[in-house]
């Protein structure tokens, strides 16, 4: 089964209070990927980041309606997940979603939004995911590593670096589970990309608490993939091998401010499949 997660995002420069269709990031599309219609494709979360109050809307004739569909009011300078945890919206393969935002941004201001999709069986993709039980059974050590990302000021995904670019302390030929991450500066999205993830970008919002009016809780993302696994009841904790560290990348989606971001990845060193880890259980 070709299970897959994919982060899809886009932006509008100077929407000026008008309904504006998202310009999708390079490599992303608002068209649901091609898959067997019976296999299951789902929108599992979405979020948006605006400088001023506005709305973010996802619509299609294949959703509830093609007039308003999923419409979210977005407060100024707020970044948080918009789906109720555990809620999913089934989508139809090859359906092109109409994705729009409306906010009173001025000249040169970039407003952004993102969606996270899950596919039960995506042809040509076979990302590595484990369950919470498998994670706890195989954990050798808990580890964190920082990745310094210097994005540009044009929006989109930028500043891409290898996951070992700042600290190369990975153990050779060892599997690592990516539980989540934090950021020291807000950004619209944090993306991880590599061969173990099917070369699709996976990630979530760059939430930070109590900084420059930003609301929300940065610890939501500390266990981002663990949360998704527990909420949806399916294995969604991504795993990659240290042998692929040079090809496992991290970048961010930042607005026109182009602020640098230090991403801290929360990782578990894993024992080989079928073996018990050193940190298994308390009792």
């Amino acid at each position: 089964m070709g299970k897959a997660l994919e982060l899809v995002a886009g932006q509008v420069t100077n929407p000026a209070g008008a309904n504006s269709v998202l310009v999708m990031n390079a490599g992303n599309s608002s068209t649901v990927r091609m898959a067997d219609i019976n296999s299951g494709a789902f929108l599992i979360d979405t979020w948006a980041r605006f400088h001023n109050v506005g709305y973010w809307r996802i619509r299609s004739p294949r959703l509830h309606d093609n007039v308003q569909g999923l419409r979210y009011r977005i407060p100024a300078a707020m970044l948080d997940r918009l789906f109720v945890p555990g809620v999913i919206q089934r989508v139809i393969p090859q359906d092109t979603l109409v994705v729009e935002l409306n906010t009173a941004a001025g000249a040169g201001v970039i407003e952004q939004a993102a969606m996270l999709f899950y596919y039960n069986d995506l042809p040509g993709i076979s990302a590595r995911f484990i369950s919470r039980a498998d994670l706890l059974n195989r954990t050798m050590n808990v580890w964190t590593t920082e990745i310094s990302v210097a994005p540009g000021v044009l929006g989109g995904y930028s500043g891409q670096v290898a996951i070992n670019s700042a600290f190369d302390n990975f153990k050779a030929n060892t599997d690592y589970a990516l539980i989540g991450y934090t950021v020291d500066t807000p950004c619209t999205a944090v993306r991880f990309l590599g061969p173990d993830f099917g070369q699709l970008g996976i990630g979530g919002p760059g939430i930070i608490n109590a900084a420059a009016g930003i609301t929300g809780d940065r610890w939501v993302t500390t266990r981002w993939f663990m949360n998704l696994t527990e909420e949806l009841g399916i294995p969604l904790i991504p795993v990659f091998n240290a042998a692929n560290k040079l090809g496992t990348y991290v970048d961010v989606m930042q607005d026109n401010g182009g602020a640098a971001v230090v991403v801290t990845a929360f990782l578990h060193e894993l024992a080989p499949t079928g073996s018990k880890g050193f940190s298994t259980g308390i009792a």
Side-chain angles (χ1 to χ4, degrees):
M1 296 288 284
K3 298 185 182 301
L5 272 179
E6 185 176 23
L7 173 66
V8 173
Q11 63 190 36
V12 176
T13 301
N14 186 19
N19 291 341
S20 303
V21 176
L22 237 56
V23 177
M24 304 307 295
N25 290 350
N28 285 178
S29 173
S30 63
T31 299
V32 181
R33 286 185 177 270
M34 167 72 175
D36 187 322
I37 196 168
N38 296 313
S39 66
F42 304 92
L43 175 62
I44 61 174
D45 217 327
T46 185
W47 57 92
R49 182 180 176 219
F50 295 172
H51 292 80
N52 298 284
V53 66
Y55 70 78
W56 159 233
R57 182 167 67 187
I58 306 167
R59 58 188 179 90
S60 162
R62 309 304 296 269
L63 298 180
H64 176 271
D65 65 85
N66 198 32
V67 180
Q68 296 297 342
L70 294 165
R71 176 175 170 139
Y72 299 97
R73 199 71 178 169
I74 308 298
M78 176 180 176
L79 181 61
D80 209 347
R81 58 188 305 192
L82 297 174
F83 267 29
V84 175
V87 169
I88 58 173
Q89 169 62 59
R90 189 160 190 158
V91 291
I92 304 299
Q94 297 186 283
D95 183 27
T96 297
L97 304 175
V98 180
V99 288
E100 305 161 306
L101 59 79
N102 185 320
T103 181
V109 175
I110 298 174
E111 309 289 45
Q112 301 168 321
M115 300 173 286
L116 187 62
F117 291 92
Y118 170 73
Y119 296 87
N120 266 326
D121 189 3
L122 187 60
I125 301 297
S126 186
R128 301 178 65 196
F129 298 109
I130 59 173
S131 67
R132 181 177 183 273
D134 198 16
L135 171 79
L136 298 179
N137 189 55
R138 292 176 59 192
T139 292
M140 293 293 293
N141 294 293
V142 177
W143 182 47
T144 61
T145 191
E146 292 181 4
I147 308 101
S148 297
V149 181
V153 297
L154 301 179
Y157 303 124
S158 62
Q160 187 175 91
V161 292
I163 197 167
N164 66 326
S165 57
F167 299 102
D168 192 5
N169 297 319
F170 290 89
K171 297 181 179 179
N173 300 314
T174 298
D175 277 346
Y176 288 88
L178 176 61
I179 307 306
Y181 58 90
T182 56
V183 295
D184 68 343
T185 302
C187 58
T188 302
V190 175
R191 184 175 71 152
F192 300 85
L193 181 70
D196 293 293
F197 313 142
Q199 296 294 6
L200 298 180
I202 63 174
I207 299 173
I208 187 169
N209 191 35
I214 301 297
T215 60
D217 187 349
R218 70 196 298 254
W219 299 107
V220 167
T221 64
T222 304
R223 62 192 320 272
W224 179 250
F225 297 107
M226 176 79 89
N227 285 340
L228 294 174
T229 294
E230 293 173 348
E231 292 163 5
L232 301 180
I234 56 175
L236 283 178
I237 301 169
V239 172
F240 67 97
N241 193 275
N244 294 324
K245 63 186 179 182
L246 291 174
T248 301
Y249 298 106
V250 183
D251 55 21
V252 301
M253 186 182 187
Q254 189 60 285
D255 64 14
N256 49 284
V261 179
V262 176
V263 177
T264 300
F266 285 67
L267 303 169
H268 283 215
E269 175 197 351
L270 300 179
T273 302
S275 301
K276 279 190 173 293
F278 173 72
S279 295
T280 299
I282 293 177

